[in-house]
Coordinates of all heavy atoms in Angstrom, one line a residue:
M1 N -45.3 27.0 42.0 CA -46.0 27.3 43.2 C -47.5 27.0 43.0 O -48.1 27.4 42.0 CB -45.9 28.8 43.5 CG -44.5 29.2 44.0 SD -44.4 29.6 45.7 CE -44.1 31.3 45.6
P2 N -48.1 26.3 43.9 CA -49.5 25.9 43.7 C -50.4 27.1 44.1 O -51.0 27.2 45.2 CB -49.6 24.8 44.7 CG -48.6 25.0 45.8 CD -47.5 25.8 45.1
I3 N -50.6 27.9 43.1 CA -51.6 29.0 43.3 C -52.8 28.7 42.6 O -52.8 28.3 41.4 CB -51.0 30.4 42.7 CG1 -49.7 30.8 43.5 CG2 -52.0 31.5 42.8 CD1 -49.1 32.0 43.0
Y4 N -53.9 28.8 43.3 CA -55.2 28.4 42.7 C -56.2 29.6 42.7 O -56.1 30.5 43.5 CB -55.9 27.3 43.6 CG -55.1 26.0 43.6 CD1 -54.3 25.7 44.6 CD2 -55.1 25.1 42.5 CE1 -53.5 24.5 44.6 CE2 -54.4 24.0 42.4 CZ -53.6 23.7 43.5 OH -52.9 22.5 43.5
D5 N -57.0 29.6 41.7 CA -58.1 30.6 41.6 C -59.3 30.1 42.4 O -59.7 29.0 42.2 CB -58.4 30.9 40.2 CG -57.4 31.7 39.5 OD1 -56.7 32.5 40.1 OD2 -57.2 31.5 38.3
Y6 N -59.8 31.0 43.2 CA -61.1 30.6 43.9 C -62.1 31.7 43.7 O -61.8 32.9 43.4 CB -60.8 30.5 45.4 CG -60.1 29.3 45.9 CD1 -58.7 29.3 46.0 CD2 -60.7 28.1 46.1 CE1 -58.0 28.2 46.4 CE2 -60.1 27.0 46.5 CZ -58.7 27.0 46.7 OH -58.0 25.9 47.1
R7 N -63.3 31.3 43.8 CA -64.4 32.2 43.8 C -65.3 31.9 45.0 O -65.7 30.8 45.3 CB -65.3 32.1 42.5 CG -66.4 33.1 42.5 CD -67.1 33.3 41.2 NE -67.6 32.0 40.7 CZ -67.7 31.6 39.5 NH1 -67.4 32.5 38.5 NH2 -68.2 30.5 39.1
C8 N -65.6 33.0 45.7 CA -66.5 32.8 46.9 C -67.9 32.7 46.4 O -68.4 33.5 45.6 CB -66.3 34.1 47.8 SG -67.5 34.1 49.2
T9 N -68.5 31.6 46.9 CA -69.9 31.4 46.5 C -70.9 32.3 47.2 O -72.0 32.4 46.8 CB -70.3 29.9 46.7 OG1 -70.1 29.6 48.1 CG2 -69.5 29.0 45.8
R10 N -70.4 32.9 48.3 CA -71.3 33.8 49.0 C -71.3 35.2 48.4 O -72.4 35.8 48.2 CB -70.9 33.9 50.5 CG -71.8 34.7 51.3 CD -71.4 34.8 52.8 NE -71.4 33.5 53.5 CZ -71.0 33.4 54.8 NH1 -70.5 34.4 55.4 NH2 -71.1 32.3 55.4
C11 N -70.1 35.8 48.2 CA -70.1 37.2 47.7 C -69.5 37.3 46.3 O -69.3 38.4 45.8 CB -69.3 38.0 48.7 SG -67.5 37.7 48.6
A12 N -69.2 36.1 45.7 CA -68.7 36.1 44.3 C -67.4 36.8 44.1 O -67.0 37.1 43.0 CB -69.7 36.7 43.3
H13 N -66.7 37.0 45.2 CA -65.3 37.6 45.1 C -64.4 36.5 44.6 O -64.4 35.4 45.1 CB -64.9 38.0 46.5 CG -63.5 38.7 46.6 ND1 -63.3 39.9 46.0 CD2 -62.4 38.2 47.1 CE1 -62.0 40.2 46.1 NE2 -61.4 39.2 46.8
E14 N -63.6 36.9 43.6 CA -62.6 36.0 43.0 C -61.2 36.4 43.5 O -60.8 37.5 43.5 CB -62.7 36.0 41.5 CG -64.0 35.4 41.0 CD -64.0 35.3 39.5 OE1 -62.9 35.4 38.8 OE2 -65.1 35.1 38.9
F15 N -60.4 35.4 43.8 CA -59.1 35.7 44.3 C -58.2 34.5 44.1 O -58.6 33.3 43.9 CB -59.1 36.0 45.8 CG -59.8 35.0 46.7 CD1 -59.0 34.0 47.4 CD2 -61.1 34.9 46.8 CE1 -59.5 33.1 48.2 CE2 -61.7 33.9 47.6 CZ -60.9 33.0 48.3
E16 N -56.9 34.8 44.1 CA -55.9 33.7 44.0 C -55.3 33.4 45.4 O -55.2 34.2 46.2 CB -54.7 34.2 43.1 CG -55.1 34.2 41.6 CD -53.9 34.7 40.8 OE1 -53.0 35.3 41.4 OE2 -54.0 34.5 39.6
L17 N -55.0 32.1 45.5 CA -54.6 31.7 46.8 C -53.4 30.7 46.7 O -53.5 29.8 45.9 CB -55.7 31.0 47.6 CG -55.7 31.1 49.1 CD1 -55.8 32.6 49.5 CD2 -56.9 30.3 49.7
L18 N -52.4 31.0 47.4 CA -51.2 30.1 47.4 C -51.5 28.9 48.4 O -51.7 29.2 49.6 CB -50.0 30.8 47.8 CG -48.7 30.0 48.1 CD1 -48.3 29.3 46.8 CD2 -47.6 30.8 48.6
V19 N -51.7 27.7 47.9 CA -52.1 26.6 48.8 C -50.9 25.7 49.1 O -50.3 25.1 48.2 CB -53.2 25.8 48.1 CG1 -53.6 24.6 49.0 CG2 -54.4 26.7 47.9
L20 N -50.5 25.7 50.3 CA -49.4 24.8 50.7 C -50.0 23.6 51.5 O -51.2 23.6 51.8 CB -48.5 25.5 51.7 CG -47.8 26.8 51.0 CD1 -47.1 27.6 52.1 CD2 -46.9 26.4 49.9
R21 N -49.1 22.6 51.7 CA -49.6 21.4 52.3 C -50.2 21.6 53.7 O -51.1 21.0 54.1 CB -48.4 20.4 52.4 CG -48.5 19.3 51.4 CD -47.3 18.4 51.4 NE -46.1 19.1 51.5 CZ -44.9 18.6 51.6 NH1 -44.8 17.3 51.7 NH2 -43.8 19.3 51.6
N22 N -49.6 22.6 54.4 CA -50.0 22.8 55.8 C -50.9 24.1 55.9 O -51.0 24.7 56.9 CB -48.8 22.9 56.7 CG -47.8 24.0 56.3 OD1 -48.0 24.5 55.2 ND2 -46.9 24.4 57.1
S23 N -51.4 24.5 54.7 CA -52.3 25.7 54.7 C -53.6 25.4 55.4 O -54.1 24.2 55.3 CB -52.6 26.1 53.3 OG -51.5 26.7 52.7
P24 N -54.1 26.3 56.1 CA -55.4 26.2 56.7 C -56.5 26.2 55.6 O -56.2 26.5 54.5 CB -55.6 27.4 57.6 CG -54.7 28.4 57.0 CD -53.5 27.7 56.4
V25 N -57.7 25.8 56.0 CA -58.8 25.9 55.0 C -58.9 27.3 54.4 O -59.0 28.2 55.2 CB -60.1 25.4 55.6 CG1 -61.3 25.5 54.6 CG2 -60.0 24.0 56.2
P26 N -58.9 27.4 53.1 CA -58.9 28.8 52.6 C -60.3 29.5 52.9 O -61.3 28.8 52.8 CB -58.7 28.6 51.1 CG -59.1 27.2 50.8 CD -58.8 26.4 52.1
A27 N -60.2 30.8 53.1 CA -61.4 31.5 53.4 C -61.4 32.8 52.5 O -60.3 33.3 52.1 CB -61.4 31.9 54.8
C28 N -62.5 33.3 52.2 CA -62.7 34.4 51.3 C -62.1 35.7 52.1 O -62.5 35.9 53.2 CB -64.1 34.7 51.0 SG -64.5 36.2 50.2
P29 N -61.2 36.4 51.4 CA -60.6 37.6 52.1 C -61.6 38.7 52.2 O -61.3 39.7 52.9 CB -59.4 37.9 51.2 CG -59.8 37.4 49.8 CD -60.6 36.2 50.1
S30 N -62.7 38.6 51.5 CA -63.7 39.7 51.5 C -64.7 39.5 52.6 O -65.0 40.4 53.4 CB -64.3 39.8 50.1 OG -65.3 40.8 50.1
C31 N -65.3 38.3 52.7 CA -66.3 38.0 53.6 C -66.0 36.9 54.6 O -66.8 36.6 55.5 CB -67.7 37.8 52.9 SG -67.7 36.1 52.1
D32 N -64.8 36.3 54.5 CA -64.3 35.3 55.4 C -65.1 34.0 55.3 O -65.1 33.2 56.2 CB -64.4 35.8 56.8 CG -63.2 35.2 57.6 OD1 -62.2 34.9 57.0 OD2 -63.4 35.1 58.8
S33 N -65.9 33.8 54.2 CA -66.6 32.6 54.1 C -65.7 31.5 53.6 O -64.7 31.8 52.9 CB -67.7 32.8 53.1 OG -68.3 31.6 52.6
Q34 N -66.0 30.3 53.9 CA -65.2 29.2 53.4 C -66.0 28.4 52.4 O -65.5 27.3 52.0 CB -64.8 28.2 54.6 CG -63.8 28.9 55.5 CD -63.4 28.0 56.7 OE1 -64.0 27.0 56.9 NE2 -62.4 28.4 57.4
D35 N -67.1 28.9 51.9 CA -67.8 28.3 50.8 C -67.1 28.8 49.5 O -67.6 29.7 48.9 CB -69.3 28.7 50.8 CG -70.0 28.2 52.0 OD1 -69.5 27.1 52.5 OD2 -70.9 28.8 52.5
L36 N -66.1 28.1 49.1 CA -65.3 28.6 48.0 C -65.4 27.6 46.9 O -65.5 26.3 47.1 CB -63.8 28.7 48.4 CG -63.6 29.7 49.5 CD1 -62.1 29.7 49.8 CD2 -64.1 31.1 49.2
E37 N -65.4 28.1 45.7 CA -65.4 27.3 44.5 C -64.1 27.4 43.8 O -63.6 28.5 43.6 CB -66.5 27.8 43.6 CG -66.7 27.0 42.3 CD -67.8 27.6 41.4 OE1 -68.4 28.6 41.8 OE2 -67.9 27.1 40.3
Q38 N -63.4 26.3 43.6 CA -62.1 26.4 43.0 C -62.3 26.5 41.5 O -62.9 25.7 40.9 CB -61.2 25.1 43.4 CG -59.8 25.3 42.9 CD -58.9 24.1 43.3 OE1 -59.2 23.4 44.2 NE2 -57.9 23.9 42.5
L39 N -61.7 27.5 41.0 CA -61.8 27.7 39.5 C -60.6 27.0 38.8 O -59.5 27.2 39.1 CB -61.7 29.2 39.2 CG -62.7 30.1 39.9 CD1 -62.4 31.5 39.5 CD2 -64.1 29.7 39.4
L40 N -61.0 26.1 37.9 CA -60.0 25.4 37.2 C -59.6 26.2 36.0 O -60.4 26.7 35.2 CB -60.6 24.0 36.7 CG -61.1 23.1 37.8 CD1 -61.8 21.9 37.2 CD2 -60.0 22.6 38.7
S41 N -58.3 26.3 35.8 CA -57.8 27.0 34.7 C -57.8 26.1 33.5 O -56.7 25.7 33.0 CB -56.3 27.5 35.0 OG -55.6 26.5 35.5
G42 N -59.0 25.7 33.1 CA -59.1 24.7 32.0 C -59.3 25.3 30.6 O -59.5 24.6 29.7
F43 N -59.1 26.6 30.5 CA -59.3 27.2 29.2 C -58.2 26.8 28.2 O -58.6 26.5 27.1 CB -59.2 28.7 29.3 CG -60.5 29.3 30.0 CD1 -60.4 29.8 31.3 CD2 -61.7 29.2 29.4 CE1 -61.5 30.3 31.9 CE2 -62.8 29.7 30.0 CZ -62.7 30.2 31.3
A44 N -57.0 26.7 28.6 CA -55.9 26.3 27.7 C -56.1 24.8 27.3 O -56.0 24.5 26.1 CB -54.6 26.4 28.4
V45 N -56.6 24.0 28.2 CA -56.8 22.6 27.8 C -57.9 22.5 26.8 O -57.8 21.8 25.8 CB -57.1 21.8 29.1 CG1 -57.5 20.4 28.7 CG2 -56.0 21.8 30.1
S46 N -59.0 23.2 27.1 CA -60.2 23.0 26.2 C -59.9 23.6 24.8 O -60.4 23.1 23.8 CB -61.4 23.7 26.8 OG -61.4 25.1 26.7
S47 N -59.2 24.7 24.8 CA -58.9 25.3 23.4 C -57.9 24.4 22.7 O -58.0 24.3 21.5 CB -58.3 26.7 23.6 OG -57.0 26.7 24.0
E48 N -57.1 23.8 23.4 CA -56.1 22.8 22.8 C -56.9 21.6 22.2 O -56.7 21.2 21.1 CB -55.2 22.3 23.8 CG -54.0 21.4 23.3 CD -53.1 22.2 22.3 OE1 -52.8 23.3 22.6 OE2 -52.7 21.6 21.3
G49 N -57.9 21.2 23.0 CA -58.8 20.1 22.5 C -59.6 20.5 21.3 O -59.7 19.7 20.3
T50 N -60.0 21.7 21.3 CA -60.8 22.2 20.1 C -59.9 22.3 18.9 O -60.3 21.9 17.8 CB -61.4 23.6 20.4 OG1 -62.1 23.6 21.6 CG2 -62.2 24.1 19.3
R51 N -58.7 22.8 19.1 CA -57.8 22.9 17.9 C -57.5 21.5 17.4 O -57.4 21.3 16.2 CB -56.5 23.5 18.4 CG -55.7 24.1 17.2 CD -54.7 25.1 17.7 NE -53.8 24.6 18.7 CZ -53.0 25.3 19.5 NH1 -53.1 26.6 19.5 NH2 -52.2 24.7 20.3
Q52 N -57.3 20.5 18.3 CA -57.0 19.2 17.8 C -58.2 18.6 17.1 O -58.0 18.0 16.0 CB -56.7 18.3 19.1 CG -56.3 16.9 18.7 CD -55.0 16.9 18.0 OE1 -54.0 17.6 18.3 NE2 -54.9 16.1 16.9
A53 N -59.4 18.9 17.5 CA -60.6 18.4 16.9 C -60.7 19.0 15.5 O -61.0 18.3 14.5 CB -61.8 18.7 17.7
S54 N -60.5 20.3 15.4 CA -60.6 20.9 14.0 C -59.5 20.4 13.1 O -59.7 20.4 11.9 CB -60.6 22.4 14.2 OG -59.3 22.9 14.7
L55 N -58.3 20.1 13.7 CA -57.2 19.6 12.9 C -57.6 18.2 12.3 O -57.4 17.9 11.1 CB -56.0 19.5 13.7 CG -54.7 19.2 13.0 CD1 -54.4 20.4 12.1 CD2 -53.5 19.0 13.9
D56 N -58.2 17.4 13.2 CA -58.7 16.1 12.7 C -59.7 16.2 11.6 O -59.7 15.5 10.6 CB -59.3 15.3 13.9 CG -58.2 14.8 14.8 OD1 -57.1 14.8 14.5 OD2 -58.6 14.3 15.9
K57 N -60.6 17.2 11.8 CA -61.7 17.4 10.8 C -61.0 17.8 9.5 O -61.4 17.4 8.4 CB -62.6 18.6 11.3 CG -64.0 18.6 10.7 CD -64.8 19.5 11.6 CE -65.8 20.2 10.7 NZ -66.5 21.2 11.5
F58 N -60.0 18.7 9.6 CA -59.3 19.2 8.4 C -58.7 18.0 7.7 O -58.8 17.9 6.4 CB -58.3 20.2 8.8 CG -57.4 20.6 7.6 CD1 -57.8 21.4 6.7 CD2 -56.1 20.1 7.6 CE1 -57.0 21.8 5.6 CE2 -55.3 20.5 6.5 CZ -55.7 21.3 5.5
R59 N -58.0 17.1 8.4 CA -57.4 16.0 7.8 C -58.4 15.1 7.1 O -58.1 14.6 6.1 CB -56.6 15.2 8.9 CG -55.3 15.8 9.3 CD -54.5 14.9 10.2 NE -53.3 15.5 10.7 CZ -52.9 15.4 11.9 NH1 -53.6 14.8 12.8 NH2 -51.8 16.0 12.3
R60 N -59.5 14.9 7.8 CA -60.5 14.0 7.2 C -61.0 14.6 5.9 O -61.2 13.9 4.9 CB -61.7 13.8 8.2 CG -61.5 12.5 9.1 CD -62.8 12.1 9.7 NE -63.3 13.1 10.6 CZ -63.0 13.3 11.9 NH1 -62.2 12.4 12.4 NH2 -63.5 14.2 12.6
S61 N -61.3 15.9 5.9 CA -61.9 16.5 4.7 C -60.8 16.5 3.6 O -61.1 16.4 2.4 CB -62.4 17.9 5.0 OG -61.3 18.7 5.3
Y62 N -59.6 16.6 4.0 CA -58.5 16.6 3.0 C -58.4 15.2 2.3 O -58.3 15.1 1.1 CB -57.1 16.9 3.7 CG -56.0 16.8 2.7 CD1 -55.7 17.9 1.9 CD2 -55.1 15.7 2.7 CE1 -54.6 17.9 1.1 CE2 -54.1 15.7 1.8 CZ -53.8 16.7 1.0 OH -52.7 16.7 0.2
K63 N -58.5 14.2 3.2 CA -58.5 12.8 2.7 C -59.7 12.6 1.8 O -59.6 11.9 0.7 CB -58.5 11.8 3.8 CG -57.5 10.7 3.7 CD -57.6 9.8 4.9 CE -56.4 9.9 5.8 NZ -56.4 9.0 7.0
A64 N -60.9 13.1 2.2 CA -62.1 12.8 1.5 C -62.1 13.6 0.2 O -62.9 13.2 -0.8 CB -63.3 13.3 2.4
S65 N -61.4 14.6 0.0 CA -61.4 15.4 -1.2 C -60.7 14.6 -2.4 O -60.9 15.0 -3.5 CB -60.6 16.7 -1.0 OG -59.2 16.5 -0.9
G66 N -60.0 13.6 -2.0 CA -59.4 12.7 -3.1 C -58.3 13.4 -3.8 O -58.0 13.1 -5.0
Q67 N -57.6 14.4 -3.2 CA -56.6 15.1 -3.9 C -55.4 14.2 -4.2 O -54.7 14.4 -5.2 CB -56.1 16.3 -3.0 CG -55.3 17.3 -3.7 CD -55.2 18.6 -2.9 OE1 -56.0 18.9 -2.1 NE2 -54.2 19.4 -3.2
R68 N -55.2 13.3 -3.3 CA -54.1 12.3 -3.4 C -54.2 11.5 -4.7 O -53.3 11.3 -5.5 CB -54.0 11.4 -2.2 CG -52.6 11.2 -1.7 CD -52.6 10.0 -0.8 NE -51.2 9.7 -0.5 CZ -50.6 10.0 0.7 NH1 -51.3 10.6 1.6 NH2 -49.3 9.8 0.9
R69 N -55.4 11.1 -5.0 CA -55.7 10.3 -6.1 C -55.5 11.1 -7.4 O -55.0 10.6 -8.4 CB -57.2 9.8 -6.1 CG -57.3 8.4 -6.8 CD -58.7 7.8 -6.4 NE -59.7 8.8 -6.5 CZ -60.8 8.8 -5.8 NH1 -61.0 7.9 -4.9 NH2 -61.7 9.7 -5.9
D70 N -55.9 12.4 -7.4 CA -55.7 13.3 -8.5 C -54.3 13.5 -8.8 O -53.9 13.5 -10.0 CB -56.4 14.6 -8.2 CG -57.9 14.5 -8.2 OD1 -58.4 13.4 -8.7 OD2 -58.6 15.5 -7.9
E71 N -53.5 13.6 -7.8 CA -52.0 13.7 -7.9 C -51.5 12.5 -8.6 O -50.6 12.6 -9.5 CB -51.4 13.9 -6.6 CG -51.2 15.4 -6.2 CD -50.7 15.6 -4.8 OE1 -50.0 14.7 -4.3 OE2 -51.0 16.6 -4.2
Q72 N -51.9 11.3 -8.2 CA -51.4 10.1 -8.8 C -51.8 10.0 -10.3 O -51.0 9.7 -11.1 CB -51.9 8.9 -8.1 CG -51.1 8.5 -6.9 CD -51.6 7.4 -6.1 OE1 -52.7 6.8 -6.5 NE2 -51.0 7.0 -5.0
A73 N -53.0 10.4 -10.5 CA -53.5 10.4 -11.9 C -52.7 11.3 -12.8 O -52.4 11.0 -13.9 CB -55.0 10.7 -11.9
A74 N -52.4 12.5 -12.2 CA -51.6 13.5 -12.9 C -50.2 13.0 -13.2 O -49.7 13.2 -14.3 CB -51.6 14.8 -12.1
A75 N -49.6 12.2 -12.3 CA -48.3 11.7 -12.5 C -48.3 10.6 -13.5 O -47.4 10.6 -14.4 CB -47.8 11.1 -11.1
V76 N -49.3 9.8 -13.5 CA -49.5 8.8 -14.6 C -49.6 9.4 -15.9 O -49.0 9.0 -16.9 CB -50.7 7.8 -14.3 CG1 -51.0 7.0 -15.5 CG2 -50.4 7.0 -13.1
E77 N -50.4 10.4 -16.0 CA -50.7 11.2 -17.2 C -49.4 11.8 -17.8 O -49.1 11.7 -18.9 CB -51.7 12.3 -17.0 CG -52.4 12.8 -18.2 CD -53.3 11.7 -18.8 OE1 -53.8 10.8 -18.1 OE2 -53.4 11.7 -20.1
Y78 N -48.6 12.3 -16.8 CA -47.3 12.9 -17.2 C -46.3 11.9 -17.8 O -45.7 12.1 -18.8 CB -46.7 13.6 -16.0 CG -45.4 14.2 -16.2 CD1 -45.3 15.5 -16.9 CD2 -44.2 13.6 -15.8 CE1 -44.1 16.1 -17.1 CE2 -43.0 14.2 -16.0 CZ -42.9 15.4 -16.7 OH -41.7 16.0 -16.9
E79 N -46.3 10.7 -17.1 CA -45.4 9.7 -17.6 C -45.8 9.2 -19.0 O -44.9 9.0 -19.9 CB -45.4 8.5 -16.6 CG -44.5 8.6 -15.4 CD -44.6 7.4 -14.5 OE1 -44.8 6.3 -15.0 OE2 -44.5 7.6 -13.3
K80 N -47.0 9.1 -19.2 CA -47.5 8.6 -20.5 C -47.1 9.6 -21.6 O -46.7 9.2 -22.7 CB -49.1 8.5 -20.5 CG -49.6 7.4 -21.3 CD -51.0 6.9 -20.9 CE -52.1 8.0 -21.1 NZ -53.4 7.5 -20.7
K81 N -47.3 10.9 -21.3 CA -46.9 11.9 -22.2 C -45.4 11.9 -22.5 O -45.0 12.0 -23.7 CB -47.3 13.3 -21.7 CG -47.6 14.3 -22.7 CD -48.0 15.6 -22.1 CE -49.5 15.8 -21.9 NZ -49.8 17.1 -21.4
E82 N -44.6 11.7 -21.5 CA -43.2 11.6 -21.6 C -42.8 10.5 -22.6 O -42.0 10.6 -23.5 CB -42.5 11.4 -20.3 CG -42.4 12.6 -19.4 CD -41.2 13.5 -19.9 OE1 -40.1 13.2 -19.7 OE2 -41.5 14.6 -20.5
R83 N -43.4 9.3 -22.4 CA -43.1 8.2 -23.2 C -43.5 8.5 -24.7 O -42.8 8.1 -25.6 CB -43.9 7.0 -22.7 CG -43.1 6.0 -21.9 CD -43.7 4.7 -21.8 NE -45.0 4.8 -21.1 CZ -45.2 4.5 -19.8 NH1 -44.2 4.1 -19.1 NH2 -46.4 4.6 -19.3
E84 N -44.6 9.1 -24.9 CA -45.1 9.4 -26.2 C -44.1 10.3 -27.0 O -43.9 10.2 -28.1 CB -46.5 10.0 -26.2 CG -47.6 9.0 -26.0 CD -48.9 9.6 -25.7 OE1 -49.0 10.8 -25.9 OE2 -49.9 8.9 -25.4
E85 N -43.6 11.3 -26.2 CA -42.7 12.3 -26.8 C -41.4 11.8 -27.1 O -40.8 12.1 -28.1 CB -42.6 13.5 -25.9 CG -43.9 14.4 -26.0 CD -43.8 15.6 -25.0 OE1 -42.7 15.8 -24.4 OE2 -44.8 16.2 -24.8
H86 N -40.9 10.9 -26.2 CA -39.5 10.5 -26.4 C -39.3 9.1 -26.8 O -38.3 8.7 -27.3 CB -38.7 10.6 -25.0 CG -38.7 12.0 -24.5 ND1 -38.0 13.0 -25.1 CD2 -39.4 12.6 -23.4 CE1 -38.3 14.1 -24.4 NE2 -39.1 13.9 -23.4
G87 N -40.4 8.3 -26.7 CA -40.3 6.9 -27.0 C -40.5 6.6 -28.5 O -40.0 5.6 -29.1
G88 N -41.1 7.5 -29.2 CA -41.6 7.5 -30.5 C -41.0 6.9 -31.6 O -41.1 6.2 -32.5
Ligands
ZN1 ZN1 -66.8 36.2 50.0

C-alpha cells in the first residue's frame, strides 16, 4: 500500500497518507494546508550505505595489514621445518 509520510510546512504536523492514483491533492488534516513536504523513508537506505562503506573500509585495512602474506610465510616456514625433521 502506498502510504507516504508527509509534514505540513505550515504547522509542522506530520502524518501518514495513503496515496492512490485517483487521490485528490493531499492536505494537512490539522490546518488543511496543501504545502506539504513528503518525507522520504531514506533512513534504511542511508544506514545500509554506511554499513557497506565501513565494510569496504574494513576489507581495505585487512588487505593493507598484510596478514595474507604472513600466513604464506608461516606456511613456507612450516614446510621447511617438516622437511628438516623428516627428510634428514
Ligand atoms: Zn498543517
